[in-house]
Amino acid sequence: MLTRAIALAAALVSFTDRWSPRIVTTVNDYDVRVAKVEGEHLWHTHDHTDEFFLVLDGELHIALREPAGSGERTVVLPKGSVFTVPRGTEHKPYAPVPSEILVLEPTGTSTVGDQHEAVPDHVDATTGHALN
């Protein structure tokens, strides 16, 4: 457990990788992760957990596949917006411009979920990296 304050701006300038989150702290059994994102992630599902997003800078779109084949919709999150993807919901984040996000997930949760399509080279399949 960290015992010092973490400036999110400083954490975000400490790395350049896209779609490769850094763990800034933990809260109980949850990681608080920050990431730089741009372009598409991949379709994936977290079977056992919700996924919380906060847009720190830029804009994030999250495409959602509705249950029972009732179609797709996209949630647009401008800077300062939050959204929670419910567990079991297939989703695909996309950032049309370079953006910075904060994600809250149980420790050990994979960035590509429990079920996913092929992982492209620009996406880091990880449970989060330590902040340097």
Side-chain angles (χ1 to χ4, degrees):
M1 170 79 74
L2 296 174
T3 57
R4 60 184 169 88
I6 303 294
L8 292 181
L12 285 158
V13 298
S14 72
F15 65 98
T16 59
D17 300 324
R18 303 285 191 228
W19 299 111
S20 183
R22 300 306 192 265
I23 300 167
V24 293
T25 192
T26 57
V27 179
N28 297 315
D29 297 330
Y30 283 76
D31 288 340
V32 178
R33 304 173 185 174
V34 293
K36 294 181 177 186
V37 298
E38 184 177 11
E40 294 186 350
H41 194 260
L42 67 138
W43 283 105
H44 66 285
T45 305
H46 299 278
D47 293 335
H48 306 289
T49 186
D50 299 337
E51 187 172 19
F52 172 87
F53 293 88
L54 164 62
V55 179
L56 301 170
D57 194 33
E59 181 176 280
L60 185 69
H61 297 199
I62 303 175
L64 304 163
R65 288 189 173 147
E66 299 295 340
S70 59
E72 292 180 10
R73 68 182 177 108
T74 299
V75 177
V76 177
L77 304 171
K79 178 180 178 178
S81 297
V82 300
F83 184 76
T84 300
V85 175
R87 73 188 72 201
T89 302
E90 191 174 14
H91 60 287
K92 181 179 186 176
Y94 168 76
V97 297
S99 301
E100 297 172 343
I101 62 173
L102 181 144
V103 179
L104 181 66
E105 296 177 302
T107 299
T109 299
S110 171
T111 57
V112 296
D114 302 303
Q115 302 174 49
H116 56 81
E117 63 184 8
V119 180
D121 290 340
H122 70 277
V123 173
D124 185 8
T126 181
T127 57
H129 298 284
L131 189 61
N132 293 330

